[in-house]
Amino acid sequence: MNKIAVFPGSFDPITRGHESVILRALPLFDTIVVAVGENSEKRGYFPLENRLEWLRTIFAREPKIRVESYSGLTIDYCREVGAGFILRGLRTAADFDFERGIGLMNRAMMPDLETIFLVSTPEYSALNSSIVREIHRNGGDISRFIPESLQNLMT
Ligand code: ADP
């Protein structure tokens, strides 16, 4: 069976935390579709084109990873790409509460779609995109928080 997982998120921007979850999940699936959700009401801090380009740069040498954008319901997108799994990361109890609600709703709408959670490694459990955006907005150095392969592209 071809095991396809969708890793949905804003990736605004991608951090080492996201990268770590994706790399750890690689042995579990045949394909991981890193899917950047487009929100018509919220533009995002970094333009969508840049977020896609950065993701494609990071995973250029990994044939099991595809990078795409989508709009609408995540379950509809999973159906469209033939994914049986949603991949998400868990950092804190707050993540758990939030993800539990979404996971249960997705399951109610599409029972054969399983959400797989990977618990964040300790070094990345305090890392989130909104803090990285805040540092960037105020001219701080974000290089420690974004993937190594982006250092020249983003900073
Ligand atoms: P969203 O806007 O859907 O929350 P994000 O881009 O913020 O999207 O995150 C996508 C996924 O990555 C979520 O499951 C989130 O919990 C996970 N994630 C984000 N940062 C980390 C991290 N530092 N460690 C582990 N998982 C993370």
Side-chain angles (χ1 to χ4, degrees):
M1 200 178 103
N2 195 19
K3 285 197 193 134
I4 303 176
V6 165
F7 186 41
S10 316
F11 305 103
D12 190 20
I14 174 144
T15 67
R16 291 189 188 194
H18 295 123
E19 183 189 33
S20 156
V21 168
I22 295 166
L23 295 178
R24 286 170 57 208
L26 264 186
L28 304 177
F29 302 105
D30 298 305
T31 302
I32 296 178
V33 184
V34 182
V36 186
E38 271 187 85
N39 185 339
S40 48
E41 280 157 29
K42 224 174 78 192
R43 257 196 82 244
Y45 176 71
F46 291 105
L48 177 68
E49 299 70 43
N50 293 12
R51 286 183 263 153
L52 289 167
E53 184 202 326
W54 295 331
L55 286 163
R56 289 189 176 124
T57 302
I58 297 164
F59 301 115
R61 281 196 227 130
E62 182 43 72
K64 286 167 82 176
I65 297 177
R66 264 174 29 217
V67 175
E68 290 177 6
S69 62
Y70 76 102
S71 52
L73 288 180
T74 304
I75 55 155
D76 288 337
Y77 178 71
C78 289
R79 222 179 253 128
E80 192 185 309
V81 299
F85 305 91
I86 291 180
L87 174 66
R88 298 287 286 179
L90 290 180
R91 288 159 294 190
T92 59
D95 270 357
F96 173 74
D97 275 346
F98 178 74
E99 296 291 343
R100 182 174 171 276
I102 296 183
L104 288 176
M105 289 305 287
N106 283 339
R107 191 171 174 74
M109 292 186 284
M110 191 173 164
D112 52 351
L113 182 71
E114 285 291 356
T115 306
I116 307 289
F117 299 103
L118 290 190
V119 172
S120 178
T121 53
E123 69 269 36
Y124 299 135
S125 56
L127 180 53
N128 66 65
S129 295
S130 65
I131 294 178
V132 175
R133 287 197 296 275
E134 204 50 35
I135 297 170
H136 187 268
R137 192 179 283 125
N138 290 288
D141 177 13
I142 60 169
S143 56
R144 270 190 304 151
F145 308 119
I146 58 171
E148 292 263 4
S149 46
L150 284 192
Q151 300 301 324
N152 299 328
L153 267 178
M154 257 190 82
T155 47

